Amino acid sequence: MIKSPRGTRDLLPPDTALWNFVEATVRDVFRAYNFHEIRTPIFESTELFARGVGEETDIVSKEMFTWEDRGRAESDKGQSLTLRPENTAGVVRAYIEHKLWDRGLNKLFYIGPQFRRERPQKGRFRQFYQIGAEVIGPATAGSQSPARDAELLELLAALLDRVGVTNWTLELNSVGDLADRAKFNDALRQALAPVVANMCSDCQRRAVTNPLRVFDCKVPADQPMIETLPTITEFLSDQSRAHYEEVKNILNAVQVPFIENPRLVRGLDYYQKTAFEFTHGALGAQNAILGGGRYDGLSEALGGPPAPGIGFAIGEDRLVLSLAVSAESVIRKPDVYIAPLGIGMNRDAARIARELRRHPLVVELGDESFRLKKSFETADKIGARYILIVGENEVAADAFALKHLASGEQVTVPRADLVQHISQPK
Ligand code: HAM
């Protein structure tokens, strides 16, 4: 038997109803904050992620699905391509490619699959889905303002509320600007020098190339060492500190609760200043429901103009796992099951179904070969509210037997009144 590849899965009904509920709700929220959708390719040139996300990150160094293009055109041959492990680099690439700075502040959102070659476990997949947003534009459009950071975090609190995720924790930190980070990296190198020989091989490499990444280490034996390392907070410049303070002040003003976590550095290299994660207790080890932060230098790193930006990505798989509502409660069951009774009735039944569906009622259409008993069983099984009988006598009278399945109440309804009758809540 051929199965779906490791770390991928089929999303089936009724669960897909939950996914649709989440996506429809977040689209509503994005609309209220004046965000617009962007769709970028599912694969990009490998270089985009190497330069954007960072060579030394786990994502780029271990987890990407990369291949060499064997395209027909000479120009394609040998180009290294990668399934996108995240969408921020793609959005910033599109910002540069289409000169989106001409529009001032861009508020963009996306919903779609991402790919990382991780070890699958609860809440961790190789194909997973993100709902993300990016606010990017020239500084003159206000994109560097701490007001944007706070607005995005408040949007997230509102969004989680709207989909019904409660008990989340917002963990907040500032990872400083490039100069702060250079000082911090120096201090980390110094602190690591005497102990790094006892740490894992990844940490030994990171200590030289990119010491900040030591905080990504999951090896249990290394954790006591990591806990003694200095935190970025001591190395923030006055400007970075003021930015961070203002984000916190606005969050307090709009009553979005948060905790500060000075060890939160995020697993991607492009962050500057604000960094955050929302965690949820029900998720177990993979408890980050979403993550994000500010990436002021990313456009320049990718060859574009200065364009401060901030964004987040929600793990949609994890969001769905932490929902309090069930798939059954959001799925829309059929309003009516139409039972054509007797040979030759399919045509009239199809005509009535077409009328009702335009209104729009949810209609399931039976087949004239079914006996009455089988029709009732089918209507029951699919959870229809009504069953509508289309037999010769009904067609001749242009009035139809309509039975409410829960109460057993049956009435004869003229064709012209069917929509009104079925639409009434009962
Ligand atoms: P990230 O923290 O790598 O950030 O991913 C964001 C979220 O995606 C995570 O918090 C998690 O919920 C979900 N996620 C990540 N990997 C997996 C996986 N293997 N299986 C299931 N869910 C997963 C980013 O991707 C950044 N691009 C976020 C961002 C946007 N920063 C600025 N703008």
Side-chain angles (χ1 to χ4, degrees):
M1 191 184 23
I2 300 178
K3 292 188 172 170
S4 73
R6 202 163 112 80
T8 71
R9 60 197 177 133
D10 302 306
L11 300 173
L12 305 172
D15 287 351
T16 40
L18 270 185
W19 288 69
N20 285 328
F21 157 75
V22 164
E23 289 171 17
T25 309
V26 302
R27 281 175 190 280
D28 262 5
V29 173
F30 283 133
R31 200 170 299 125
Y33 288 75
N34 196 30
F35 277 76
H36 295 279
E37 184 170 4
I38 182 168
R39 299 189 190 197
T40 65
I42 278 175
F43 60 89
E44 298 266 5
S45 86
T46 304
E47 192 191 350
L48 173 68
F49 304 113
R51 276 165 60 184
V53 176
E55 301 268 15
E56 199 52 54
T57 59
D58 282 352
I59 295 177
V60 173
S61 65
K62 300 181 190 163
E63 296 170 359
M64 296 205 302
F65 289 96
T66 296
W67 71 99
E68 193 175 292
D69 194 3
R70 291 177 297 175
R72 296 196 186 169
E74 258 331 294
S75 56
D76 292 341
K77 285 203 178 119
Q79 195 195 358
S80 179
L81 299 170
T82 291
L83 286 179
R84 62 183 190 197
E86 62 98 57
N87 218 155
T88 308
V91 169
V92 177
R93 190 228 0 99
Y95 173 84
I96 298 167
E97 188 169 332
H98 305 289
K99 300 189 168 51
L100 295 186
W101 52 85
D102 285 342
R103 311 175 182 195
L105 190 67
N106 296 275
K107 298 168 82 177
L108 304 165
F109 78 89
Y110 48 83
I111 301 176
Q114 319 291 335
F115 306 85
R116 296 183 193 175
R117 197 195 304 275
E118 292 191 88
R119 200 165 40 77
Q121 55 174 262
K122 184 187 170 200
R124 190 159 76 189
F125 306 95
R126 292 180 159 196
Q127 174 171 339
F128 60 99
Y129 295 80
Q130 283 187 341
I131 298 170
E134 312 292 346
V135 182
I136 180 167
T140 47
S143 61
Q144 85 298 7
S145 165
R148 299 285 71 77
D149 310 34
E151 184 185 26
L152 211 63
L153 290 164
E154 188 276 327
L155 177 158
L156 280 165
L159 189 157
L160 293 176
D161 255 12
R162 278 280 294 276
V163 295
V165 174
T166 48
N167 293 330
W168 45 262
T169 304
L170 161 55
E171 296 188 23
L172 193 62
N173 192 22
S174 172
V175 294
D177 61 18
L178 287 184
D180 305 340
R181 283 251 289 286
K183 280 187 250 157
F184 182 45
N185 271 330
D186 281 346
L188 285 178
R189 269 194 200 94
Q190 270 182 27
L192 285 165
V195 290
V196 77
N198 303 323
M199 296 177 77
C200 70
S201 58
D202 277 346
C203 282
Q204 297 188 11
R205 198 186 61 247
R206 290 162 174 152
V208 181
T209 53
N210 191 349
L212 189 76
R213 297 270 65 96
V214 166
F215 289 103
D216 300 338
C217 176
K218 308 273 180 327
V219 177
D222 288 359
Q223 300 311 309
M225 234 92 84
I226 292 170
E227 272 161 33
T228 65
L229 293 174
T231 62
I232 180 82
T233 323
E234 307 153 42
F235 300 88
L236 295 183
S237 65
D238 288 347
Q239 206 212 0
S240 301
R241 206 174 287 278
H243 185 100
Y244 189 31
E245 287 305 314
E246 182 61 1
V247 175
K248 290 187 279 182
N249 288 338
I250 304 177
L251 287 179
N252 285 329
V254 293
Q255 296 181 328
V256 171
F258 60 89
I259 59 167
E260 292 184 69
N261 177 357
R263 293 193 184 272
L264 179 80
V265 295
R266 308 270 302 125
L268 303 91
D269 273 350
Y270 49 59
Y271 292 112
Q272 290 197 30
K273 296 186 179 154
T274 311
F276 56 85
E277 282 180 359
F278 281 63
T279 54
H280 194 275
L283 287 172
Q286 304 303 316
N287 69 350
I289 207 168
L290 68 94
R294 184 164 270 291
Y295 45 83
D296 289 353
L298 181 55
S299 172
E300 288 112 304
L302 296 176
I310 181 160
F312 65 78
I314 302 172
E316 191 175 357
D317 309 73
R318 296 186 192 173
L319 181 64
V320 170
L321 272 173
S322 54
L323 287 183
V325 291
S326 70
E328 293 297 334
S329 69
V330 295
I331 206 161
R332 181 155 173 211
K333 296 268 175 61
D335 295 300
V336 58
Y337 177 81
I338 299 183
L341 265 201
I343 298 307
M345 288 297 112
N346 271 348
R347 275 161 286 171
D348 283 293
R351 273 197 284 269
I352 294 174
R354 184 167 156 84
E355 271 171 37
L356 300 185
R357 282 169 174 158
R358 267 198 219 129
H359 272 279
L361 291 169
V362 181
V363 176
E364 184 63 55
L365 186 54
D367 187 83
E368 62 187 18
S369 70
F370 290 7
R371 298 199 176 279
L372 192 59
K373 185 161 178 276
K374 178 161 178 193
S375 294
F376 268 96
E377 279 167 9
T378 312
D380 234 17
K381 194 165 159 194
I382 63 170
R385 270 191 309 129
Y386 286 99
I387 183 166
L388 178 79
I389 310 293
V390 180
E392 264 177 42
N393 295 343
E394 283 83 1
V395 171
D398 211 23
F400 298 84
L402 186 69
K403 184 165 188 171
H404 187 252
L405 285 161
S407 64
E409 191 187 311
Q410 183 167 329
V411 282
T412 301
V413 182
R415 181 183 188 137
D417 297 343
L418 280 173
V419 169
Q420 198 213 354
H421 200 99
I422 298 169
S423 305
Q424 276 165 11
K426 189 161 189 180

